[in-house]
Amino acid sequence: MSTMIDVKDLVMVYSNGTRAVDNISFNVKKGEFFGFLGPNGAGKSTTIKVLTTLLKKTSGSVHVSGYNLDNDSKEIRKMIGVQSQDTAVDGDLTGRENLMLQGHFQQIPNKILKERVDELLKLVDLENFADKRTRNYSGGMKKRLDLATTLVHRPQLLFLDEPTTGLDPQSRSAIWEYLEKINKEEKTTIFLTTQYMEEADRLCRTLAIIDTGKIVASGSPTELKQQLGVDSIKITLKDCAKDKTTAIKILKSLTGVSNITESGDCLTVFAKNASQLIADIIRALDSLEIRLAGVNFSSPTLDDVYLEKTGKRIRAEELTKKPSATFMGGKR
Ligand code: ADP
Ligand code: MG
């Protein structure tokens, strides 16, 4: 497979000094479904804006389908479709009119355009609402139309910035289906950003996990989880605030424990032989009269990969809480 996106040592510093993208390198193969997973403020949108020629990079090199971003940005714009984080549909127009307008911008001949618009309305299940004004569409319908809008000119490469953030689960899985279809049937290369690990896990064949402008891990979802090489045990204490510090001390002393982090449900212990360790953990806590509210054993998720690399949870609902500390840090 040949390369669609090639990024080397990319840096983007805003005029106020914020280093939003801090020396990242990655490449995306033609036909691939590639994901950027990371929390709010990680640098996802900035990266997309640079790659889609909307923002000027500070340094580094970017090639898209062999075109150099510095000299051939016009060529790059022609072959890409971009869905930005905020939907951009015109409420005074119907769904069909929005798509036709986009086609006219792209100078697509009318006859071809009409057929393409019908095809796209069908793809995103908006046929029955095609001639209604979009101001009356639900959030999910607007996102679907917005996605269709980016596809009018049959881009070879599609950039999607958090296409499902804020959507209800039903609209989300509908979008997932369309994206899989576009990737499979139209062979469109997709670059998607998300803060939902379930989304990255389900859709992306290759992932980069991004945190404060840096790529902290990359590979296929399976590779990333296997690299972690450990299971996680989530421990909820009856009185987390009171017993946490003592519990961490005793848990650290157990053989086989490789890392302990604070998490939303109290503590997460990473261990290679988690299933054997559970009995030891319960015994140790019991000997100190620390009461447990629950113990939950699981194979690694992408969230665990992120937690292990950064000491933070990626979950969107966790983002407002203060960042949790890593106790026994360090790489194995
Ligand atoms: P994400 O899309 O992953 O949420 P962004 O790329 O939007 O992250 O932001 C990355 C960092 O850059 C954040 O710290 C954000 O506050 C900062 N940032 C974003 N846009 C601007 C801007 N126009 N000027 C200055 N800083 C910005
Ligand atoms: Mg963003």
Side-chain angles (χ1 to χ4, degrees), residues 202-222:
R202 148 99 188 248
L203 293 175
C204 301
R205 244 161 300 160
T206 314
L207 272 184
I209 300 183
I210 181 165
D211 182 57
T212 55
K214 290 192 168 70
I215 292 177
V216 295
S218 59
S220 74
T222 317

Side-chain angles (χ1 to χ4, degrees), residues 14 16 18 20 38-47 49 85 161-162:
Y14 283 105
N16 68 357
T18 305
N40 251 330
K44 303 182 297 297
S45 295
T46 305
T47 305
K49 284 177 192 155
Q85 211 168 335
D161 199 1
E162 301 199 24

Side-chain angles (χ1 to χ4, degrees), residues 215-235:
I215 292 177
V216 295
S218 59
S220 74
T222 317
E223 272 164 13
L224 286 169
K225 287 181 272 184
Q226 279 171 355
Q227 270 169 24
L228 194 62
V230 293
D231 300 316
S232 67
I233 307 166
K234 295 180 180 65
I235 296 175

